Amino acid sequence: RALEIAAGYLPRDQVHDVDGSIGPLPVEPEVAVAWYPTRYDVASLFGAEKSTASTVEDGKERSMAVMAVFAGEDKLDGATPDDAAKLKAQLAVDPRVKDFMVK
């Protein structure tokens, strides 16, 4: 859930994970590292049409660096080479992202 946390996104506006357990609490990261990201909607998290907030609770602009590391030829939703390309494109146009690397 590193990408969701970096973007300030809570699925269904709840901190609970998909299995009902308490997920990670909202934080204000300066750096997010996502190893083998899956289960995320890139258009909701990053880019021009994102549904996540540009500011944090104190009104300061959200700003972070993002690194995402993908497996080679995975077929899981969110982890395919096409998903990696989509994430890279969305990070490139999101003003909150000060630096990024997608491998």
Side-chain angles (χ1 to χ4, degrees), residues 10-85:
L10 292 174
R12 299 174 314 282
D13 291 324
Q14 297 180 17
V15 74
H16 295 88
D17 204 349
V18 293
D19 65 1
S21 63
I22 299 293
L25 297 175
V27 294
E28 186 183 330
E30 291 187 26
V31 176
V33 178
W35 295 99
Y36 196 66
T38 59
R39 295 187 343 200
Y40 63 94
D41 176 14
V42 69
S44 293
L45 303 181
F46 299 104
E49 303 299 318
K50 67 190 175 302
S51 63
T52 55
S54 293
T55 59
V56 291
E57 287 186 25
D58 65 2
K60 186 173 70 171
E61 287 293 315
R62 186 177 287 276
S63 176
M64 86 279 311
V66 178
M67 182 175 90
V69 180
F70 288 78
E73 294 295 324
D74 208 311
K75 294 177 181 20
L76 287 174
D77 287 341
T80 68
D82 187 49
D83 293 317

